[in-house]
Amino acid sequence: MKISIELTLTPLKDDYEPHIIDFIKALRSSEFKILENPLSTQIYGDYDKVMAFLTQEIKNSFSGLDIAVLQMKLVKTDRSDYEPHF
């Protein structure tokens, strides 16, 4: 099953930027298709593989933070080729 996930990591600390950059770099180094915009990062691929990867990367990211919020939206399909038609 293909999946699309939108992620927004928000570390609740003054020096938040390096943590976000490290998280995005980990996503970029994966085997999955990654799209980025100023507000979030999207990852696309097989459900089981993406979720196993994210479980580990979220844990890695959280281990270096005292408090953080991770917003995640999941869509059951690969929407990586979406283009608006309006």
Side-chain angles (χ1 to χ4, degrees):
M1 163 185 2
K2 296 295 182 186
I3 192 162
S4 304
I5 302 176
E6 179 181 67
L7 302 161
T8 303
L9 176 64
T10 309
L12 301 179
K13 59 187 303 179
D14 291 337
D15 65 335
Y16 60 89
E17 195 171 83
H19 300 283
I20 295 170
I21 290 170
D22 289 345
F23 184 65
I24 292 171
K25 284 182 177 180
L27 297 178
R28 286 178 182 168
S29 69
S30 74
E31 65 184 87
F32 308 107
K33 182 169 185 177
I34 305 294
L35 297 176
E36 301 169 29
N37 67 53
L39 299 176
S40 65
T41 303
Q42 294 87 40
I43 185 169
Y44 305 90
D46 177 74
Y47 179 90
D48 292 326
K49 291 179 181 178
V50 171
M51 293 305 285
F53 170 76
L54 285 179
T55 297
Q56 187 58 50
E57 289 307 322
I58 292 168
K59 184 177 182 178
N60 290 344
S61 182
F62 278 10
S63 69
L65 297 164
D66 291 330
I67 302 173
V69 175
L70 178 75
Q71 296 177 337
M72 182 166 49
K73 296 178 188 174
L74 290 90
V75 178
K76 185 189 167 198
T77 189
D78 183 337
R79 301 288 291 168
S80 62
D81 60 354
Y82 171 78
E83 291 191 29
H85 301 288
F86 53 88

